[in-house]
Amino acid sequence: MVAHRGAWKNKNLPQNSIASLKAAIALGCVGSETDVHLTTDNFLVINHDNEWNGLVIQKNTLNDLRKKNLSNGETLPLLHDFLKIIREQNGTKLMLEIKSSVRGKVWADSTVLKVVNLGHQMAVQKWIIYISFDYEMLKEILRLEPTANVQYLNGDKTPGQLKQDGIKGADYHYTVFQIHPEWIQSAKENNIDLNAWTVNEEKDMNWLLVNGFNYITTNEPELLFKEIEKYSRSVE
Ligand code: MG
C-alpha cells in the first residue's frame, strides 16, 4: 500500500504536504509517494507540478517559491523535512519520484547527485525507493549508489530489460499490465518488484492483489486497506 502524494484525500490535506506524509505513516502504509525538484539555489523542494505559484521550480529560488504556503498553512516542504520524518519511524518508506529535468541532462545529474547525497548524509538510504519516468536518472542513481532500490515509471521496458539495467521494480500505470499481462509473470521470474499507479477503484485493486503485486499506489489508501483485508480473508 503506497499513498500517492501522501494520504491526503480522506483527510482533505494538501498533496505532498508534511501532514499528508504523517497521515500515510499513521495509516501504516508500506510507502508514501512524493515528488522532488531542484531549485536554482540548490534546495530540493517537494511538489508535484513543475510549477508552484506560477513559478517553474527548477528556475527559481526557495525564497521566491515560499512566498505562497500550502493550503493548510505549511511552508513549501523540502526533501530534508520529509527525510527527517522518515528517519524517526520504521514502518513507511519514501517512494521518492525525482521529477524529470526541464533544464537538460546536467541539471538532471545534479539533481540526482544532491538527492542521493542527502539520503547518505541523513543515513536513510534503506528507507528510500527512487522512482522516475526518466530512465537515465535511474541509471545515474545506480551509478552513484549501486545498492539503491529504484523503480521505473514509464511503462515501456520489459522486466527483462529492467533486470539487465539493475532496476529493481516496474512501477507502471495499471493498464500497462492489462495490455502486457505476460510482464507480470516475467517480472516475478526476473525478481522485479511489481508496482502499479494510480489505482483508486476496488475492481482494479482486487485485480492487482490477485496477480500478486508487491505494491499498489493509490489516492485511496483507506479503501485499499479494506480490499487487502477482504482479499486476505478470501484466500485463508
Ligand atoms: Mg509522483
Side-chain angles (χ1 to χ4, degrees):
M1 189 160 85
V2 178
H4 182 239
R5 308 181 196 169
W8 51 273
K9 196 169 177 187
N10 208 32
K11 292 197 166 67
N12 209 13
L13 297 168
Q15 299 177 2
N16 276 324
S17 58
I18 286 172
S20 72
L21 172 64
K22 286 181 173 169
I25 291 169
L27 269 175
C29 295
V30 154
S32 188
E33 192 263 358
T34 194
D35 309 283
V36 69
H37 310 252
L38 180 65
T39 66
T40 55
D41 51 349
N42 290 324
F43 286 96
L44 292 163
V45 163
I46 299 291
N47 191 57
H48 177 265
D49 293 350
N50 284 340
E51 293 187 9
W52 174 254
N53 197 25
L55 303 174
V56 177
I57 296 172
Q58 296 175 27
K59 294 182 177 173
N60 282 277
T61 63
L62 182 64
N63 251 340
D64 285 339
L65 293 163
R66 278 190 160 170
K67 285 176 181 157
K68 184 187 168 191
N69 286 343
L70 274 56
S71 61
N72 65 346
E74 283 181 30
T75 49
L76 190 64
L78 297 177
L79 178 59
H80 185 264
D81 303 322
F82 267 45
L83 293 181
K84 269 203 304 204
I85 293 164
I86 288 292
R87 192 170 59 178
E88 286 159 10
Q89 53 87 52
N90 57 8
T92 303
K93 290 190 178 177
L94 193 64
M95 306 284 295
L96 182 56
E97 179 177 351
I98 307 185
K99 300 303 278 194
S100 303
S101 169
V102 299
R103 304 189 58 177
K105 181 163 165 46
V106 172
W107 197 261
D109 287 350
S110 170
T111 305
V112 165
L113 180 64
K114 290 184 171 77
V115 170
V116 170
N117 279 349
L118 187 60
H120 270 271
Q121 277 166 29
M122 298 182 74
V124 287
Q125 301 100 308
K126 68 173 188 178
W127 290 95
I128 301 175
I129 298 176
Y130 297 98
I131 56 179
S132 186
F133 283 95
D134 181 337
Y135 205 66
E136 295 307 313
M137 272 185 164
L138 294 180
K139 289 209 275 191
E140 180 64 10
I141 293 169
L142 289 170
R143 195 182 67 78
L144 297 169
E145 190 178 318
T147 58
N149 190 341
V150 299
Q151 300 186 352
Y152 181 50
L153 293 170
N154 204 37
D156 57 353
K157 304 269 186 199
T158 67
Q161 285 173 300
L162 297 178
K163 169 130 180 164
Q164 224 166 34
D165 290 322
I167 310 293
K168 309 271 192 310
D171 182 3
Y172 295 166
H173 192 263
Y174 66 94
T175 56
V176 170
F177 295 109
Q178 292 169 342
I179 296 165
H180 296 285
E182 73 281 5
W183 287 4
I184 298 172
Q185 189 54 35
S186 166
K188 290 174 185 171
E189 286 165 8
N190 282 296
N191 235 346
I192 296 294
D193 284 339
L194 285 162
N195 190 350
W197 52 273
T198 300
V199 186
N200 301 322
E201 304 282 336
E202 290 175 34
K203 66 171 192 341
D204 300 321
M205 291 172 177
N206 189 261
W207 185 79
L208 296 164
L209 290 169
V210 168
N211 278 286
F213 271 59
N214 306 88
Y215 305 88
I216 298 174
T217 302
T218 181
N219 290 333
E220 306 278 2
E222 296 86 355
L223 178 66
L224 177 56
F225 194 65
K226 280 186 203 146
E227 280 304 302
I228 292 171
E229 280 200 327
K230 242 194 275 178
Y231 176 74
S232 307
R233 277 199 304 273
S234 76
V235 294
E236 256 170 26

